[in-house]
Amino acid sequence: MFTMSLGSFLLPALCFLGAVTPRGLLQYVTFSHNTTKFLHLTIDSESGTLYLGAINFLFQLTSNLMMESTVQTGPVLDSKDCLPPVSKLECPQAHSTDNHNKLLLVNSLQEELIVCGSVYQGICEKRSLTSIDHVLFRPESPGDTQYVAANDPDITTVGLVSHSKDDVPLLFVGRGYTSRGVGGGIPPITTRNLRAYGGDVQGTDSHSIFSYEETAKLAVGRLSEYNHHFIKSFTHRSSVYFLFYRRDLKSQSREYKTYISRICLDDSHYYSYVELPLLCRSKEKTYSLLQAAYVTQPGSDLGRGRSSTQGEVLFTAFSAWQASSGKPSEESALCVYTMEDVDRMTTWTRDVCYTKDGKSEAGIEEAYIEYDVSSNCVQLPADTLDAYPCGSDHTPSPMASRVPLETAPILEKREARLTAVAVNVEDGHTIAFLGDSRGQLHKVYLGAMGDTKTYASLVIHLNSVVSGDLLFDQSQQHLYVMTQSMVVKVPILECSQYLDCESCLTLKDPYCGWCVLQGRCSRRSECSRSIANKQWLWSFNSTQQCVSIQSLSPANISREEKRNIFLTVLDLPPLHEEESYSCFFEDYESPAALTESGIVCPSPDPSQAPALRAGTEHITIKLVVRFHDVFIASVDFSFYDCPTVALQRKSAPCQGCVSSHWGCNWCVHQHLCTHKATCEEGTIIYNERTQIPTSSPLLSSAASTTMTSPSTWTVATKPITPPVTQLNHTPITESVSTTLPAVSAMTAHPTGTFSHTHPATPTTATLTFLGTTTDSTVLPLTDKPATTNLAADPTAVSVTTSLAETAHHTALPASEPTLAPEVWFTDPLTTAAFNTLQPVVTALTSPPDITDSTWSPTTLLPDSEATSSATPSLFTTNQTPSASASSADFPGHLETELPASEVPPSVLPDWLLGEGTELKDIEDWMDENDSSPFYASTLLSGDGDSLERDAPDLPRILHPGVDFQYDAPGFLELTEEFNLGPGACPCVQGIQGPSLIPVNVEQKITLLGKNFHLFQDQQWDYECVLILEGRTVVMDAYVEGDEANRSLCYITCQLHQYSYLASQLEFNAVVFVQRKQHLRVDSAVDLYVTLYNCSMGHVDCSRCQTADSKYNCVWCGGEQSSCIFRGSCTEEIADICPAPLIYSVYPLSGPVEGGTRLTIAGSNLGQKHQDIAETVTVAGIPCAVDAQEYEISSR
């Protein structure tokens, strides 16, 4: 809401201090006045000052609509029938009359404001541009030719200030016909002086200023038949143009038509006057009434397209005529005419009228003389056209065309009549601003081929007509929009309000785009690198997308490791040579190196990884890519903690670990959940998301197999492809899968004998692997995998293997991608055994489309093709294998970095360079923790990538000298077992034998276990633990294996007496097994034994004997008879219970008639209703026992 300044207020009592601003305009500057209606608005292009003409008022406003000055111009004593000066004495019919502003023009050269009103027969005055209250000239006793504007508020007047060749200021005026007063004799179009001439001086008695006595006028025979409704006047090149519509009284239809007329600027007699009908018509509708117009140079797109012009274009708003009401209808259209076409048609009309009698070659009249004057089209010599381009006293005038200049609308509106149009050009694009009769402003993009799109609409003042005076400010960044009661300064663009790329592009504003490296929504001209590709993303382009991370590998890692994160980034802008991007893991900044498809950056050191919230095993953060401090793109990235994963399942830590979404593995001996794929000692159980390849000819998917004879395989190689996580930009719950060590692809079937072993243990496999290597080399990356034949290519691998006790064969864990694969040479082709199996890097990708917000992929073990896809380097520079090398010659873990001699030369970023020309140690930005044999997250690609699909090639580092290290997988020892998923965990599965245990009796508990052989512990290295009423009862345990099935065992909890205090018959006690180091072994869900106490609820013999037989309770005699477990009774067991005892009878009295209901309480009152049904008497009279109310032994 705008508050006007009162400093220069002349009429403070009339001024409105605050406009009632529509809700949508609260952020815009407005001006309003509560005692008048606004009619005209103009601007001084030099100073930016606004001048507002209204009924009875003039306002001078700053560019921000602050009022500088105001002048009251009415009401005044006036009558249309009287000439000024008007007095009551000389004009008795005069009365107080409102002064409607009819013309408001800026004459910048003379620094004057031309103001014409409807009173005093439409006289004009000159006021100072700097202060409108300073009148420069006003005729006090005007002559007949000094009346300018229409004296009727409803009759239009238009005009413009221009200068002749001699720099004489001229006022061109178009006004409608008025019947009262002097208006009936004033021509519709006149040219008037703005400077005193001859001996005249500029004073109140000057009769030359505003006069048309010695200037031009349009000669009209009968003025009353030509009632023009003027819309606009403008100059183009050396001509003046008027736009108007009038009823064609000479046609049979008497319909309204719109015309454009042209006059040479220096034509002092209007010999050059030509008018041309304009027709705006679609297939269904003719729009005949011009409402508004705007002339400007269009954008290059439109100029080269539909308009096909390099000049100015006339943009017009038309409405249809509504015959029933005699008014314009609400149906309207936007039509476009090129000024080249307008000039061509008017010139052609002139030429036909000058030289061809106004007729075409076919004899049809196409040009004629208008306005009932004594002139006719003629046949003058052809050289007349060049000799008299603006006519002469011997050429016919005023001329008119019978043939209209017709075009089809580029935009039609049915719901509201267009009343205003203004056009602006931005970066070659044409944008129209259209006001309508319902107070709305529409922003419309005009396409090159005439296509239009309304991209925004704004309510200025609901149901109030928008004035045709739409004005741009000096900077061309705002538009002044006026209605009858309000002026609003509307920004033509509001790019800066949109703070992120998504909202900027969603705006679909042709002025705006996202300046990527500056991180703001701006005009293209404000984006410093916008001329370069991918730097400025145009909002109006519907296919434009923000820079986004399409995939990343891995998408999650353990908090205990540091990894290289590969990000595939769509449309990442190129940088200057000295510039670089950075990755931010929350507050941790990590330098990024460019790849062909995006960037790669290291994750934080484990000590700087984000902390987990209590009770959670992971945290998901935003991995943000920045350029300096400018946000470029982000993606969810998770850090998980395998030890915490195990803590979430206290009763089954191993199963919780290897079934987790994060792909954690379980070190059996260390009782440790880890992201790593090897343990310091003992057996490892891999996550259940590891898949076993089914394409290998040696492997069975249903049962374990054993191979007893060696066979030779040939391994093919292809470029390494990194594991990639495809993103769908929805909240992700990642699930990670594992790729176990893989045997390379086989090209020949092995010879050997297979036999099925125990089908119940398909999750383990034992491998013996023999192979031969001689040397290592670096292969260049290629786009397609290359398969090598041993006989044809010396880089092929000859591998001899022997498998024993193999079940489901499982691939070794894949490592993070290297820059190039390395192969083993077999020259000479001799075979020597070594006891290690080299893992293979496999490409892991997501499916092309992911629609579910919860993402639980699984990782593929390589098949026969995938396993041959890549083989990391087996040897470092100090390792020289030979054909006769034995297994002892090779270390357990081999390095995977490129030999220094094989690192390709490259220009490295500064942040990777150390002092001098030495390359920084990779550990400076790649964590030392990244050197462990290999990780579960490496196996899993760390990101839950799991779905089979060909992955793109590894993003090639644009600085190839940088050897981004990856986790070097270790070799598997001979006969090492592979264990997969929760089914491979050592676990107590259930109770072997009865689970009912009486209290106070020494008994053993036997439990059924599985996979205890993985512990490699002694038989007495275990303990049974019972949880009794918060107490922990620990017993030694003995483990004995099942001879028939080595995965099964029996755990015997040694003799112990159990008891509990709770007053209940049964008590469930959780039981589990732990190793002597207090390391809990997994237990099945709800694993417990049931303790029971016979004495609870069995207080007498009858109740004891009715106890469930499963408890084996007896009534044990002696001094302290009680109900106990049979095995605990050392006294005589009572088979027959003692005689009944009566404790009470209620009531103790009753009427002699009988019928009293008695309740007898006691003990040993029978074991069932039938025992006492016929034996109860009262005073010798039988008493019927109520079976429903009977309670065993007691009532």
mmCIF file of all heavy atoms in Angstrom, residues 181-196:
data_model
loop_
_atom_site.group_PDB
_atom_site.id
_atom_site.type_symbol
_atom_site.label_atom_id
_atom_site.label_comp_id
_atom_site.label_asym_id
_atom_site.label_seq_id
_atom_site.Cartn_x
_atom_site.Cartn_y
_atom_site.Cartn_z
ATOM 1 N N GLY A 181 -21.088 23.406 -29.922
ATOM 2 C CA GLY A 181 -19.936 24.274 -29.811
ATOM 3 C C GLY A 181 -19.173 24.359 -31.115
ATOM 4 O O GLY A 181 -19.663 23.999 -32.189
ATOM 5 N N VAL A 182 -17.939 24.775 -31.009
ATOM 6 C CA VAL A 182 -17.136 24.972 -32.216
ATOM 7 C C VAL A 182 -16.660 23.653 -32.792
ATOM 8 O O VAL A 182 -16.145 23.609 -33.918
ATOM 9 C CB VAL A 182 -15.920 25.871 -31.915
ATOM 10 C CG1 VAL A 182 -16.372 27.242 -31.444
ATOM 11 C CG2 VAL A 182 -15.015 25.221 -30.870
ATOM 12 N N GLY A 183 -16.832 22.555 -32.051
ATOM 13 C CA GLY A 183 -16.321 21.269 -32.513
ATOM 14 C C GLY A 183 -16.934 20.823 -33.816
ATOM 15 O O GLY A 183 -16.325 20.051 -34.563
ATOM 16 N N GLY A 184 -18.129 21.284 -34.133
ATOM 17 C CA GLY A 184 -18.762 20.864 -35.373
ATOM 18 C C GLY A 184 -18.049 21.346 -36.612
ATOM 19 O O GLY A 184 -18.294 20.840 -37.707
ATOM 20 N N GLY A 185 -17.148 22.314 -36.465
ATOM 21 C CA GLY A 185 -16.441 22.812 -37.628
ATOM 22 C C GLY A 185 -14.968 22.483 -37.644
ATOM 23 O O GLY A 185 -14.233 22.942 -38.529
ATOM 24 N N ILE A 186 -14.497 21.708 -36.704
ATOM 25 C CA ILE A 186 -13.082 21.380 -36.639
ATOM 26 C C ILE A 186 -12.833 20.056 -37.369
ATOM 27 O O ILE A 186 -13.504 19.059 -37.108
ATOM 28 C CB ILE A 186 -12.621 21.284 -35.180
ATOM 29 C CG1 ILE A 186 -12.817 22.640 -34.484
ATOM 30 C CG2 ILE A 186 -11.163 20.845 -35.099
ATOM 31 C CD1 ILE A 186 -12.462 22.634 -33.030
ATOM 32 N N PRO A 187 -11.874 20.017 -38.306
ATOM 33 C CA PRO A 187 -11.576 18.779 -39.040
ATOM 34 C C PRO A 187 -11.114 17.672 -38.081
ATOM 35 O O PRO A 187 -10.593 17.951 -36.996
ATOM 36 C CB PRO A 187 -10.457 19.194 -39.987
ATOM 37 C CG PRO A 187 -10.565 20.675 -40.084
ATOM 38 C CD PRO A 187 -11.045 21.143 -38.749
ATOM 39 N N PRO A 188 -11.274 16.406 -38.490
ATOM 40 C CA PRO A 188 -10.892 15.297 -37.601
ATOM 41 C C PRO A 188 -9.394 15.208 -37.366
ATOM 42 O O PRO A 188 -8.968 14.754 -36.299
ATOM 43 C CB PRO A 188 -11.422 14.060 -38.325
ATOM 44 C CG PRO A 188 -11.588 14.479 -39.739
ATOM 45 C CD PRO A 188 -11.927 15.938 -39.722
ATOM 46 N N ILE A 189 -8.588 15.613 -38.349
ATOM 47 C CA ILE A 189 -7.132 15.545 -38.182
ATOM 48 C C ILE A 189 -6.550 16.906 -38.539
ATOM 49 O O ILE A 189 -6.847 17.454 -39.608
ATOM 50 C CB ILE A 189 -6.502 14.453 -39.054
ATOM 51 C CG1 ILE A 189 -7.060 13.069 -38.680
ATOM 52 C CG2 ILE A 189 -4.983 14.442 -38.907
ATOM 53 C CD1 ILE A 189 -6.570 11.948 -39.568
ATOM 54 N N THR A 190 -5.733 17.443 -37.666
ATOM 55 C CA THR A 190 -5.121 18.749 -37.895
ATOM 56 C C THR A 190 -3.683 18.728 -37.434
ATOM 57 O O THR A 190 -3.282 17.909 -36.593
ATOM 58 C CB THR A 190 -5.864 19.860 -37.140
ATOM 59 O OG1 THR A 190 -5.904 19.529 -35.742
ATOM 60 C CG2 THR A 190 -7.289 20.025 -37.652
ATOM 61 N N THR A 191 -2.914 19.686 -37.993
ATOM 62 C CA THR A 191 -1.534 19.898 -37.562
ATOM 63 C C THR A 191 -1.438 21.310 -37.019
ATOM 64 O O THR A 191 -1.765 22.274 -37.713
ATOM 65 C CB THR A 191 -0.557 19.719 -38.738
ATOM 66 O OG1 THR A 191 -0.758 18.445 -39.330
ATOM 67 C CG2 THR A 191 0.879 19.842 -38.255
ATOM 68 N N ARG A 192 -0.966 21.447 -35.803
ATOM 69 C CA ARG A 192 -1.021 22.732 -35.117
ATOM 70 C C ARG A 192 0.367 23.194 -34.712
ATOM 71 O O ARG A 192 1.281 22.384 -34.470
ATOM 72 C CB ARG A 192 -1.929 22.630 -33.892
ATOM 73 C CG ARG A 192 -3.373 22.254 -34.267
ATOM 74 C CD ARG A 192 -4.208 21.908 -33.072
ATOM 75 N NE ARG A 192 -5.560 21.525 -33.479
ATOM 76 C CZ ARG A 192 -6.600 22.378 -33.547
ATOM 77 N NH1 ARG A 192 -6.423 23.666 -33.267
ATOM 78 N NH2 ARG A 192 -7.783 21.943 -33.913
ATOM 79 N N ASN A 193 0.485 24.519 -34.636
ATOM 80 C CA ASN A 193 1.740 25.111 -34.225
ATOM 81 C C ASN A 193 1.929 24.986 -32.721
ATOM 82 O O ASN A 193 0.983 25.125 -31.952
ATOM 83 C CB ASN A 193 1.790 26.602 -34.584
ATOM 84 C CG ASN A 193 1.965 26.829 -36.070
ATOM 85 O OD1 ASN A 193 2.869 26.274 -36.659
ATOM 86 N ND2 ASN A 193 1.098 27.650 -36.646
ATOM 87 N N LEU A 194 3.169 24.805 -32.349
ATOM 88 C CA LEU A 194 3.525 24.859 -30.933
ATOM 89 C C LEU A 194 4.448 26.032 -30.642
ATOM 90 O O LEU A 194 4.846 26.230 -29.491
ATOM 91 C CB LEU A 194 4.205 23.552 -30.494
ATOM 92 C CG LEU A 194 3.285 22.336 -30.363
ATOM 93 C CD1 LEU A 194 4.077 21.099 -29.987
ATOM 94 C CD2 LEU A 194 2.183 22.593 -29.348
ATOM 95 N N ARG A 195 4.770 26.778 -31.675
ATOM 96 C CA ARG A 195 5.650 27.930 -31.506
ATOM 97 C C ARG A 195 4.982 29.139 -32.151
ATOM 98 O O ARG A 195 4.368 29.018 -33.215
ATOM 99 C CB ARG A 195 6.994 27.653 -32.165
ATOM 100 C CG ARG A 195 7.985 28.801 -32.067
ATOM 101 C CD ARG A 195 9.200 28.568 -32.953
ATOM 102 N NE ARG A 195 9.951 27.377 -32.537
ATOM 103 C CZ ARG A 195 10.968 26.887 -33.253
ATOM 104 N NH1 ARG A 195 11.316 27.460 -34.397
ATOM 105 N NH2 ARG A 195 11.612 25.824 -32.826
ATOM 106 N N ALA A 196 5.088 30.262 -31.486
ATOM 107 C CA ALA A 196 4.554 31.503 -32.065
ATOM 108 C C ALA A 196 5.330 31.843 -33.326
ATOM 109 O O ALA A 196 6.539 31.613 -33.410
ATOM 110 C CB ALA A 196 4.658 32.641 -31.053
#
